[in-house]
Amino acid sequence: MVSKKNNGSRVHNSDGIISSKDLGKLLSIVREYWYVPIVFVILGAGVGYYYFEKFVFKGYTALAQISLKYNPENKKEYADYSEEMTGINSPDLIIKTINSLNLDVSYFTLKDNTSEEVFNNSPFKVTTGVVSESFYETPIALSILDSNSYSISYQGTSNKIEAAGVFDSLLSTNDFKLYINKTKGKESLLKKGEKYIVKLHNKNTLVSRYQSALKSNLTKDLGVLQVFYNDFLSNRAVSFLDTLTKNYLNNTIKTQLERNTKMVYGIDKLLVSTDITLQQIADSLRKYNQGNLVISESIEDQKYISVYTSLTLEKSRLQQKRLGLNEIENYLTLKSSADVTVPPPYFNEQQDAFLANAFAELQKLQKDKRDYLFDVTDKSKNISHIDKGYEDRKSDLLKYIKDSKVATDAKIAFVENQIAEITPLEKKYTSTQLRIMDLERQMKMNENMYMDLLNKKNTLLVSQAAMAPEYKLFESAHIVESSGPSRWSIIYKFALVALGISLLFVYLKMLFTSGIKTIDELKEKTELPILGEIPMIKYDKNKITTIVNAEENPIASVFLRSIRTSLEFMPAKKKAKVILVTSHMIGEGKTFSAINLAEVISKSNKKVLLIDLDLFNPSIVKSLSITTPIEKGVANVYNDYVDISKAILKGDRKFDMLLNTTPIKNASELLIGDRTEKIIEYARKNYDYVILDTAPIGLISEVLSVMKHSDINVFVLSSVVSNKEAIKQANLIVEENKFNIYLLLNKTNVKKTQYYSKYYKNYKYAYAS
């Protein structure tokens, strides 16, 4: 039925919250755009996965912890652990680990032209021999021929190299010599046709790569050395760090044991030497005693011997400290910052807290610099800042050593003066007595030295016995994190952002395209009368099939008959005899609508004439697949070559047609001329209904001159392409020319919006002829 907008009013439900119309509109939006968020979310998740793999994922970080002390009593200063922290990253240790795990060869499985690196899961193992320097990192494609043989191929310097080999034997080419052996326990994986890629790596290059991925850190109590390693394969990260720490512990304990053994050996030699000296002194004293040449046991004699001995020992101690300060000064002056890794000689003999703390700070700055150099160059501001701090602290330390040397020299001079003061006392004793006193002094000094050496030996033996539990694996290697954000968190965020973008896209599309999808939407946008709607159907653009047949297009047939009823029951003053069909732009279905209107009206026993007045692009002949040559048509009538009645085609259909096959020259002038009026008047007199298919009025404004000869003008809108500009043009035509314009909405989706469509299969409509 013909309808109008109800004064722009809206009907709300009794609660006044959400109207059924709003709910229907929302459901309509969901039906139309439901796939958009799904597509965007899938694309967003895919982009998130790619972004993670390409730019975010930095591999897996493994952690192993080494206990450096067995109990709190063994706690050492920071400087004492510097050797452990640098030793874990030593090239020799890394090379040993690389060799143990066969890390100088990488293995990749190849399926569907996609490679995936594997570790410890290859059915064969490659052992490298001689390899050309230029060949490293070159992919070698390896195909399994059978359980005992294989073939390889790779790109050589000038051409592709291919060769075949047998497992567990030497394979030699101009670029390398290597063995490819079966992996024990995995022989069943050697299946014919399986493909792999192998890459050989330069071990020196690998050392730098693994060193940059290794980082060490001491816990706050200086009791545990934490070692971190990062790798793209989690199982390789664990295996590498586990093997490295075990090699490190074995190497450290072995080195410490060798060092202690050498020190004990040296102490034993000193003990023997000291014991011999004591024996010689004892023999000399015995000779003097046999000659009754014994000095008096007076208090004065004992005091002299005691003071002289202690002063001599103090002088010796100060001279040794002075020598140590010289050695430390030369060590710091001549060594670069990179070489200050372990305490210099005589360092521990100083027993100076300030000296120990200052040296620990130097080593801490050195470690910070080493850690920074993993990520930045030596020209970085952070490195410059560390270097400046190092030089400042080193300068302070050298100044302190210089002042300590001056103070030590003063103490030595003071002791020497004290010795000089008691020297005159020697005159009261005979030379023999002085000799005996000197021997007794030497005896006491060597006895003290002997006891000190015994204490040091016992300490070393105790340390050696406790060394195994002191250096032990506190926590074996394990994955502690996936470096950077997790894969799923990145994918989730990208999918969430994509969902937001999809909703924004839908909103902007609705905002700017302002399409007209349903009759309800059309009613809200205009007060022009609406003739009805034609549902979306599938048809060949080059061959329009009429949709009146209720058997073939049941729902569309109902809508067309509804439009026919609206035309028949119009008020007398608006009686629609001549019906002009146009649209705003091409592709909205005006020709399709004109043909079907002619068909449905003619089936009600009305005499109908369909005229193709689209002189610019005639399409009815093509649309109806008329193969009979059109000898007389619209062009002949316009040029007065033939009478109108003789140009009308009476075919198999119930309606007649006045057609055209090709565009007509001067079409604009012909449309606005008298001939158009004569054609329409002839049709009006001889037919019940006349359907005029014209050009789109949005492109050809001359269609307006034809509208004045029609009774009503059907303005076809497409729910797919029409927008508010089409309605604006229709309103403007009515306002300026007072023409009767009725809107016809084409290509609507009614299968889900019309309440009776789902039941149509069981409802029998009468077939109107």
Side-chain angles (χ1 to χ4, degrees):
M1 297 295 292
V2 177
S3 61
K4 288 188 178 182
K5 186 178 179 182
N6 187 18
N7 298 324
S9 65
R10 299 179 63 190
V11 179
H12 293 268
N13 62 0
S14 59
D15 295 331
I17 299 174
I18 300 176
S19 70
S20 59
K21 187 177 293 185
D22 292 334
L23 185 58
K25 184 181 293 186
L26 178 61
L27 292 174
S28 176
I29 293 172
V30 172
R31 279 195 302 269
E32 183 175 0
Y33 296 107
W34 63 268
Y35 63 91
V36 175
I38 295 175
V39 172
F40 270 76
V41 167
I42 293 173
L43 290 175
V47 172
Y49 179 83
Y50 175 80
Y51 176 79
F52 176 82
E53 294 292 335
K54 193 73 175 177
F55 302 106
V56 176
F57 181 60
K58 302 300 181 184
Y60 299 92
T61 298
L63 165 67
Q65 301 192 87
I66 301 171
S67 176
L68 298 180
K69 61 183 178 61
Y70 183 60
N71 54 56
E73 286 72 20
N74 278 342
K75 182 177 178 181
K76 301 186 284 186
E77 298 296 331
Y78 183 91
D80 297 326
Y81 291 111
S82 59
E83 188 172 355
E84 281 91 341
M85 294 179 66
T86 54
I88 194 73
N89 207 16
S90 68
D92 290 342
L93 204 58
I94 292 177
I95 283 287
K96 186 176 180 180
T97 305
I98 289 173
N99 292 335
S100 299
L101 297 176
N102 187 225
L103 295 176
D104 56 333
V105 181
S106 293
Y107 304 85
F108 303 81
T109 59
L110 187 62
K111 292 182 180 180
D112 300 326
N113 295 323
T114 301
S115 62
E116 181 180 359
E117 188 172 4
V118 295
F119 176 73
N120 277 349
N121 198 31
S122 174
F124 57 87
K125 177 182 177 181
V126 177
T127 304
T128 59
V130 179
V131 180
S132 172
E133 281 293 328
S134 61
F135 184 75
Y136 287 119
E137 306 303 326
T138 300
I140 305 173
L142 186 148
S143 298
I144 306 297
L145 298 179
D146 54 49
S147 60
N148 294 313
S149 61
Y150 59 86
S151 65
I152 66 164
S153 64
Y154 62 89
Q155 184 59 47
T157 306
S158 57
N159 58 337
K160 188 174 183 179
I161 307 298
E162 295 182 350
V166 178
F167 287 112
D168 302 326
S169 61
L170 178 67
L171 176 65
S172 178
T173 69
N174 293 332
D175 297 300
F176 56 77
K177 288 184 179 180
L178 48 83
Y179 281 91
I180 302 181
N181 302 316
K182 297 178 183 179
T183 303
K184 291 183 179 180
K186 296 184 179 180
E187 293 85 354
S188 60
L189 297 177
L190 293 171
K191 298 178 180 179
K192 181 179 180 180
E194 293 289 330
K195 296 182 178 180
Y196 298 85
I197 292 178
V198 176
K199 285 185 180 180
L200 310 181
H201 309 294
N202 187 307
K203 290 184 180 180
N204 294 327
T205 304
L206 278 182
V207 169
S208 299
R209 185 188 306 171
Y210 281 103
Q211 279 183 324
S212 64
L214 265 176
K215 289 188 179 181
S216 57
N217 181 49
L218 278 174
T219 56
K220 291 183 179 180
D221 63 351
L222 305 180
V224 175
L225 177 65
Q226 295 179 322
V227 188
F228 298 90
Y229 171 68
N230 181 267
D231 200 305
F232 280 96
L233 298 178
S234 58
N235 59 340
R236 185 167 62 193
V238 171
S239 295
F240 174 81
L241 195 54
D242 187 53
T243 306
L244 179 73
T245 51
K246 288 179 181 177
N247 288 338
Y248 166 76
L249 284 173
N250 293 335
N251 186 64
T252 300
I253 293 174
K254 180 181 178 182
T255 302
Q256 292 283 9
L257 288 173
E258 289 176 352
R259 184 186 301 172
N260 278 19
T261 301
K262 289 180 180 179
M263 292 180 69
V264 170
Y265 176 75
I267 290 174
D268 283 338
K269 289 179 66 177
L270 286 174
L271 285 172
V272 171
S273 175
T274 304
D275 185 61
I276 292 172
T277 302
L278 286 172
Q279 289 293 336
Q280 291 174 347
I281 294 172
D283 289 342
S284 298
L285 284 173
R286 192 179 302 109
K287 289 179 182 179
Y288 282 110
N289 288 333
Q290 289 175 354
N292 296 319
L293 297 174
V294 181
I295 64 172
S296 68
E297 295 292 334
S298 66
I299 295 175
E300 184 179 359
D301 293 339
Q302 293 176 11
K303 181 179 179 182
Y304 171 76
I305 294 172
S306 175
V307 171
Y308 188 85
T309 301
S310 63
L311 287 174
T312 305
L313 288 173
E314 177 66 12
K315 179 181 177 181
S316 177
R317 186 186 68 79
L318 290 172
Q319 287 175 336
Q320 187 177 8
K321 180 177 181 180
R322 181 64 169 74
L323 178 62
L325 289 172
N326 276 338
E327 291 290 341
I328 295 172
E329 184 180 41
N330 292 335
Y331 181 88
L332 291 174
T333 303
L334 299 176
K335 292 278 187 180
S336 65
S337 61
D339 296 327
V340 183
T341 57
V342 294
Y346 301 100
F347 181 80
N348 293 325
E349 307 295 333
Q350 298 300 312
Q351 297 181 346
D352 189 319
F354 177 84
L355 198 63
N357 290 334
F359 194 84
E361 289 182 18
L362 285 180
Q363 290 183 304
K364 177 67 167 58
L365 290 170
Q366 178 195 355
K367 179 183 179 299
D368 291 343
K369 179 178 179 179
R370 187 169 61 249
D371 290 342
Y372 272 117
L373 285 174
F374 285 148
D375 303 314
V376 300
T377 65
D378 55 2
K379 298 187 182 299
S380 168
K381 290 184 178 180
N382 289 331
I383 299 299
S384 300
H385 180 73
I386 291 174
D387 286 341
K388 185 178 185 307
Y390 181 90
E391 293 300 326
D392 291 344
R393 199 72 187 97
K394 179 179 174 181
S395 178
D396 294 340
L397 185 56
L398 288 171
K399 185 177 184 303
Y400 176 80
I401 292 172
K402 184 177 180 181
D403 294 340
S404 297
K405 286 168 59 179
V406 172
T408 304
D409 288 341
K411 290 179 180 179
I412 292 173
F414 177 76
V415 172
E416 288 177 342
N417 288 334
Q418 287 185 308
I419 292 174
E421 288 178 1
I422 66 171
T423 300
L425 294 176
E426 297 178 6
K427 295 178 180 179
K428 63 181 288 189
Y429 302 106
T430 64
S431 60
T432 302
Q433 290 175 322
L434 290 174
R435 175 60 181 158
I436 292 173
M437 292 167 62
D438 184 54
L439 287 172
E440 289 182 345
R441 185 179 71 251
Q442 291 182 32
M443 174 70 78
K444 187 175 183 179
M445 289 176 58
N446 280 279
E447 285 176 348
N448 289 336
M449 182 183 297
Y450 192 87
M451 293 304 298
D452 287 342
L453 289 172
L454 279 177
N455 288 334
K456 284 188 176 181
K457 179 179 179 181
N458 289 333
T459 301
L460 285 172
L461 290 174
V462 171
S463 173
Q464 185 168 316
M467 194 170 298
E470 182 175 347
Y471 289 89
K472 66 177 183 178
L473 193 62
F474 179 74
E475 188 175 22
S476 59
H478 60 284
I479 298 297
V480 292
E481 64 179 356
S482 172
S483 302
S486 69
R487 176 187 283 108
W488 286 112
S489 67
I490 291 292
I491 293 174
Y492 172 77
K493 289 176 182 178
F494 270 77
L496 197 62
V497 170
L499 177 62
I501 293 174
S502 70
L503 297 178
L504 180 62
F505 170 80
V506 171
Y507 173 75
L508 293 176
K509 190 173 187 300
M510 293 175 58
L511 184 65
F512 291 104
T513 58
S514 61
I516 305 163
K517 304 302 180 184
T518 65
I519 285 289
D520 289 335
E521 289 184 21
L522 185 58
K523 290 176 183 179
E524 290 183 356
K525 294 179 182 296
T526 181
E527 293 185 1
L528 292 176
I530 299 172
L531 189 61
E533 62 182 310
I534 299 177
M536 171 77 76
I537 66 167
K538 295 180 180 180
Y539 64 89
D540 188 345
K541 291 182 178 180
N542 298 321
K543 181 182 179 181
I544 298 178
T545 304
T546 53
I547 59 176
V548 178
N549 193 319
E551 296 293 335
E552 297 177 359
N553 299 286
I555 297 176
S557 175
V558 170
F559 281 95
L560 275 174
R561 285 176 168 78
S562 176
I563 294 171
R564 181 182 65 185
T565 302
S566 298
L567 291 172
E568 289 178 352
F569 288 94
M570 278 186 177
K573 61 179 181 180
K574 294 183 179 178
K575 190 65 176 177
K577 189 167 186 176
V578 177
I579 304 170
L580 182 143
V581 182
T582 187
S583 62
H584 179 59
M585 289 292 172
I586 61 174
E588 299 192 71
K590 64 172 185 61
T591 300
F592 172 83
S593 300
I595 292 173
N596 279 282
L597 282 175
E599 178 84 9
V600 74
I601 294 173
S602 66
K603 283 187 176 289
S604 61
N605 295 319
K606 302 294 183 180
K607 191 176 181 182
V608 180
L609 176 63
L610 175 63
I611 303 177
D612 194 343
L613 278 185
D614 188 352
L615 306 183
F616 301 87
N617 184 29
S619 56
I620 293 178
V621 171
K622 184 177 181 182
S623 298
L624 292 177
S625 300
I626 298 175
T627 56
T628 305
I630 307 299
E631 298 178 356
K632 301 172 183 178
V634 175
N636 304 106
V637 174
Y638 266 104
N639 291 308
D640 291 330
Y641 295 150
V642 68
D643 185 72
I644 298 175
S645 60
K646 295 181 180 180
I648 292 174
L649 177 65
K650 298 181 183 292
D652 297 334
R653 299 181 180 275
K654 289 191 175 184
F655 58 90
D656 296 340
M657 295 173 285
L658 182 57
L659 305 176
N660 190 27
T661 55
T662 57
I664 302 176
K665 295 181 180 179
N666 303 321
S668 296
E669 290 75 12
L670 294 175
L671 276 178
I672 63 177
D674 296 338
R675 198 63 178 167
T676 299
E677 183 178 3
K678 291 180 180 179
I679 293 173
I680 294 174
E681 285 303 317
Y682 173 85
R684 185 189 295 273
K685 291 178 182 179
N686 293 279
Y687 289 89
D688 298 321
Y689 284 92
V690 180
I691 310 297
L692 305 177
D693 180 28
T694 65
I697 198 169
L699 298 176
I700 309 298
S701 60
E702 285 78 8
V703 174
L704 285 171
S705 64
V706 184
M707 284 186 174
K708 63 184 180 181
H709 304 300
S710 62
D711 297 322
I712 67 168
N713 302 284
V714 178
F715 202 99
V716 179
L717 302 173
S718 169
S719 67
V720 178
V721 298
S722 293
N723 53 36
K724 60 184 180 181
E725 290 299 322
I727 297 176
K728 182 178 179 181
Q729 185 185 37
N731 286 324
L732 186 62
I733 292 172
V734 173
E735 290 174 7
E736 294 181 351
N737 303 280
K738 308 302 179 184
F739 294 145
N740 292 326
I741 289 185
Y742 288 78
L743 302 179
L744 175 61
L745 187 58
N746 186 30
K747 301 180 182 179
T748 60
N749 183 7
V750 298
K751 290 184 179 180
K752 294 181 181 179
T753 59
Q754 300 300 324
Y755 71 94
Y756 51 79
S757 61
K758 64 186 287 188
Y759 304 108
Y760 190 84
K761 293 179 181 178
N762 300 322
Y763 192 90
K764 301 298 183 181
Y765 281 86
Y767 185 87
S769 59

